[in-house]
Amino acid sequence: MKINNINYKDMLSDEEISKIIASDLLSIEAVFLKPSDPFTWASGILSPIYCDNRLTLTSTGVRNDVENGLATLIKRHFNEAELIMGTATAGIAHAAITANILDLPMGYVRSSAKDHGRKNLIEGRLKKGQKVVVVEDLISTGGSVLSAVSSLREAGAEVIGIVSIFSYKMKKSEEVFKENNIKNVSLTNFDRVIMTAVKEDYIEESSIKDLLAFRDNPSDESWFKGAK
């Protein structure tokens, strides 16, 4: 089952979309799981998962599922949206395609203001009071997307929500979203991906406990039996 050419009058449920996207991301290795041979983050933390949602852009079928899925989430959860804003840089392409599907204007928020010209931090026309949805590719702690939300709010936008492709569902991100009064809806998440990975024989069921332990506390490497 695919999301392509979805009829908004007969939408798939959020759960159905989550299953499709989880399978899609695993199939193209945009999400790659190695619980027995973890990756090392820049911070030095061992991680059993590697995420690169930019790969969705080079797979036409998965890209269509992702963008139609994001459009569906916006229609369902943030139907008052007047403007779509992407995060730099990974969210820009997804925001542009999704905005095109929804026939809405689009812009993006830079990670820092330009040092030349008009020194813009926000690109695209933003009117004060305009209802904005932010598109992000990946949610971990939530810090980067909240920086974009803050910039938009300071510029006078009414940010009504965030949509993202994948969320780790970490406790920290859920807490900061609540503190900042912002709702995030993701196409799929860490829990759904690992359950799909077991079902589709990417990993063994015995890995689930360790993967969930990592999600709950990434800085505690005791989940990895080979950690020193």
Side-chain angles (χ1 to χ4, degrees):
M1 181 167 51
K2 290 293 182 181
I3 306 174
N4 302 3
N5 302 317
I6 189 169
N7 184 338
Y8 290 119
K9 295 180 181 178
D10 186 26
M11 294 181 188
L12 299 171
S13 68
D14 285 9
E15 184 176 358
E16 288 171 323
I17 292 172
S18 180
K19 290 177 181 178
I20 292 169
I21 299 300
S23 184
D24 279 348
L25 297 181
L26 287 163
S27 72
I28 62 170
E29 297 185 351
V31 172
F32 193 78
L33 294 162
K34 291 202 307 179
S36 61
D37 184 20
F39 304 94
T40 302
W41 285 355
S43 61
I45 290 176
L46 292 177
S47 171
I49 184 170
Y50 174 78
C51 300
D52 184 4
N53 288 328
R54 291 174 179 82
L55 291 176
T56 62
L57 296 170
T58 53
S59 173
T60 56
V62 174
R63 185 181 67 214
N64 287 338
D65 282 352
V66 166
E67 314 312 347
N68 281 288
L70 291 171
T72 298
L73 294 187
I74 293 171
K75 291 277 287 187
R76 180 175 295 157
H77 297 279
F78 309 112
N79 197 39
E80 296 179 351
E82 299 172 316
L83 174 65
I84 307 299
M85 279 283 176
T87 56
T89 57
I92 295 175
H94 298 295
I97 300 170
T98 302
N100 192 57
I101 293 170
L102 295 170
D103 194 25
L104 288 173
M106 172 267 175
Y108 65 93
V109 184
R110 291 178 174 273
S111 55
S112 60
K114 290 193 297 186
D115 60 2
H116 59 281
R118 298 178 67 184
K119 300 184 177 180
N120 291 345
L121 178 60
I122 297 170
E123 300 289 1
R125 190 176 300 280
L126 171 66
K127 300 175 184 177
K128 288 190 176 181
Q130 204 163 20
K131 292 179 172 62
V132 174
V133 171
V134 177
V135 175
E136 174 67 291
D137 77 322
L138 172 70
I139 301 289
S140 52
T141 62
S144 60
V145 72
L146 281 175
S147 177
V149 169
S150 177
S151 297
L152 288 163
R153 285 174 169 171
E154 289 176 8
E158 181 184 345
V159 182
I160 60 175
I162 301 164
V163 293
S164 50
I165 299 172
F166 176 85
S167 172
Y168 279 99
K169 287 188 67 178
M170 290 181 179
K171 184 178 179 181
K172 184 174 181 179
S173 66
E174 294 176 356
E175 289 175 347
V176 295
F177 288 149
K178 185 176 180 179
E179 290 170 4
N180 287 272
N181 192 30
I182 191 74
K183 177 181 178 181
N184 170 67
V185 184
S186 295
L187 287 175
T188 197
N189 57 62
F190 187 90
D191 294 28
R192 173 65 67 191
V193 164
I194 63 174
M195 296 305 175
T196 302
V198 169
K199 183 179 179 181
E200 298 184 4
D201 296 324
Y202 288 94
I203 58 173
E204 299 292 331
E205 188 172 0
S206 57
S207 300
I208 292 176
K209 182 179 178 180
D210 291 339
L211 288 164
L212 291 177
F214 163 80
R215 181 207 63 189
D216 291 340
N217 188 0
S219 62
D220 180 0
E221 295 178 355
S222 61
W223 64 269
F224 177 48
K225 305 300 187 295
K228 295 180 180 179

